[in-house]
């Protein structure tokens, strides 16, 4: 590592910056099912926060409440100092500052990769066609897919489609990027290229909230890891501490299942070695 490079997770790179995201007392219920039960969380400008936890813990719902894809039942969400949950907020203006990448790629299959990037710029940002095309090319190059500019989504692998989805979000010039399990729909051999793009974005100082099961990515890239279970934050802290030496038993149990999924399936025998069957 170069001498002038600060290792991640040792010194917060934005210690004196204002928060880009603030979540206060956030609750969300679907009928009688309370999915989020009073979440308080801050994400500083340029910080990478990975949210981990079992299925059904409220991770994706939390992420979707940040840009109001899900309307909170109670609490407040601020993005860049603007209260997203204010009834009078211009939510479209706020969303233009937030890029979101989902599990599914949501690309239009009947138009080219470039056109998938140009269309939202033209419709939402009102960019002229020449400028939008230039921004599209720049961001395709950014994710390593410049040579696929004229391809159609069906001609790409799943990993390439997800990288196009990331480029599409970046083309809108967001200040914050939200990733909801961006590699969960990919074959294992395609995951690495998507994570590599996300590592580059983190290195560039992009503010990121990432819901993920990729523990190696969280440990390497995140400034902070948040573990959720049962709609609450159980534990949060530097990635090395939460993933490497969690304080809470619930966190340890979850990580044991994720990092060694075969452990629970291994038979446990109390027979002396000489009496083992077979």
């Amino acid at each position: 590592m170069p001498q002038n490079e600060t290792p991640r997770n040792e010194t917060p790179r934005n210690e004196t910056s204002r928060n880009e995201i603030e979540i206060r007392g956030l609750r969300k219920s679907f009928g009688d099912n309370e999915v989020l039960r009073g979440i308080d969380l801050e994400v500083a400008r340029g910080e990478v926060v990975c949210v981990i936890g079992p299925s059904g813990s409220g991770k994706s719902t939390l992420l979707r409440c940040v840009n109001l894809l899900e309307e909170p039942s109670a609490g407040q969400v601020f993005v860049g100092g603007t209260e997203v949950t204010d009834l009078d907020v211009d939510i479209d203006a706020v969303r233009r500052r937030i890029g979101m990448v989902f599990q599914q790629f949501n690309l239009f299959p009947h138009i080219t990769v470039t056109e998938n990037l140009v269309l939202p710029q033209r419709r939402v940002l009102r960019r002229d066609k020449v400028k939008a095309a230039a921004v599209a090319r720049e961001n395709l190059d950014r994710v390593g897919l410049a040579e696929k500019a004229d391809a159609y989504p069906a001609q790409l692998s799943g990993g390439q489609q997800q990288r196009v989805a990331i480029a599409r979000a970046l083309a809108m010039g967001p200040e914050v990027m939200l990733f909801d399990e961006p590699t969960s729909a990919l074959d294992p051999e395609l995951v690495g290229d998507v994570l590599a793009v996300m590592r580059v974005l983190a290195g560039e100082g992009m503010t990121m909230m990432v819901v993920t099961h990729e523990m190696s990515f969280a440990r390497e890239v995140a400034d902070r890891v948040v573990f959720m279970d049962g709609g609450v934050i159980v534990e949060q802290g530097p990635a090395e501490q939460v993933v490497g030496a969690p304080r809470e038993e619930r966190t340890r149990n979850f990580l044991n299942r994720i990092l060694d999924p075969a452990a629970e399936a291994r038979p446990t025998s109390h027979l002396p070695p000489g009496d083992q069957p077979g």
Side-chain angles (χ1 to χ4, degrees):
M1 179 180 294
Q3 291 184 352
N4 61 351
E5 183 176 335
T6 301
R8 297 183 66 85
N9 307 321
E10 291 189 15
T11 302
R13 56 175 179 242
N14 43 24
E15 194 170 53
T16 60
S17 300
R18 68 175 172 82
N19 293 321
E20 197 67 63
I21 300 172
E22 292 187 19
I23 299 168
R24 303 175 184 171
L26 185 66
R27 293 180 176 272
K28 175 63 181 177
S29 297
F30 296 97
D32 294 332
N33 182 22
E34 190 174 29
V35 177
L36 299 177
R37 299 163 51 200
I39 300 293
D40 293 301
L41 182 65
E42 298 176 349
V43 180
R45 178 183 292 146
E47 187 178 22
V48 178
V49 173
C50 283
V51 184
I52 64 173
S55 297
S57 59
K59 309 182 302 295
S60 293
T61 301
L62 170 63
L63 208 65
R64 293 170 67 87
C65 283
V66 172
N67 62 359
L68 228 61
L69 290 178
E70 293 289 354
E71 185 173 347
S73 303
Q76 295 174 294
V77 177
F78 297 82
V79 176
T82 299
E83 185 182 351
V84 177
T85 43
D86 188 329
L87 294 177
D88 296 324
V89 73
D90 183 348
I91 188 60
D92 291 331
V94 174
R95 284 176 178 154
R96 285 195 286 271
R97 301 163 59 183
I98 305 171
M100 187 157 185
V101 178
F102 301 88
Q103 297 177 27
Q104 303 300 324
F105 323 124
N106 300 323
L107 302 177
F108 292 112
H110 62 287
I111 59 177
T112 68
V113 163
T114 296
E115 290 167 335
N116 266 280
L117 270 67
V118 166
L119 184 62
Q121 295 181 66
R122 298 271 285 150
R123 289 189 174 177
V124 178
L125 303 181
R126 305 299 180 187
R127 281 181 181 152
D128 66 72
K129 191 172 183 179
V130 173
K131 173 65 174 176
V135 172
R137 288 192 298 271
E138 174 187 340
N139 284 285
L140 285 173
D141 184 62
R142 198 173 174 186
V143 300
L145 289 175
E147 77 282 2
K148 300 295 185 181
D150 297 323
Y152 287 84
Q155 297 173 308
L156 306 180
S157 70
Q160 289 171 331
Q161 290 186 60
Q162 189 62 292
R163 285 152 65 193
V164 170
I166 294 173
R168 178 182 56 190
L170 293 173
M172 305 297 285
E175 299 170 14
V176 176
M177 286 287 286
L178 309 177
F179 293 87
D180 187 7
E181 297 280 10
T183 60
S184 65
L186 302 179
D187 292 334
E189 66 268 22
L190 303 177
V191 169
D193 289 341
V194 173
L195 295 181
V197 169
M198 295 171 65
R199 287 186 182 94
V200 170
L201 294 179
E204 292 174 352
M206 175 66 74
T207 305
M208 297 164 58
M209 276 187 72
V210 184
V211 170
T212 185
H213 281 107
E214 299 288 343
M215 293 302 112
S216 60
F217 174 83
R219 193 167 189 168
E220 174 190 347
V221 178
D223 296 297
R224 189 155 40 101
V225 170
V226 173
F227 172 67
M228 290 184 62
D229 194 14
V232 300
I233 293 175
V234 175
E235 181 171 359
Q236 63 175 304
E240 278 296 328
Q241 179 258 302
V242 175
V243 179
R247 298 189 179 99
E248 300 294 329
E249 183 178 0
R250 290 162 77 184
T251 313
R252 290 195 295 271
N253 290 340
F254 169 77
L255 289 170
N256 287 339
R257 289 195 300 270
I258 292 293
L259 299 175
D260 190 8
E264 292 186 356
R266 294 186 189 120
T268 301
S269 174
H270 301 289
L271 294 175
D275 295 331
Q276 293 292 333

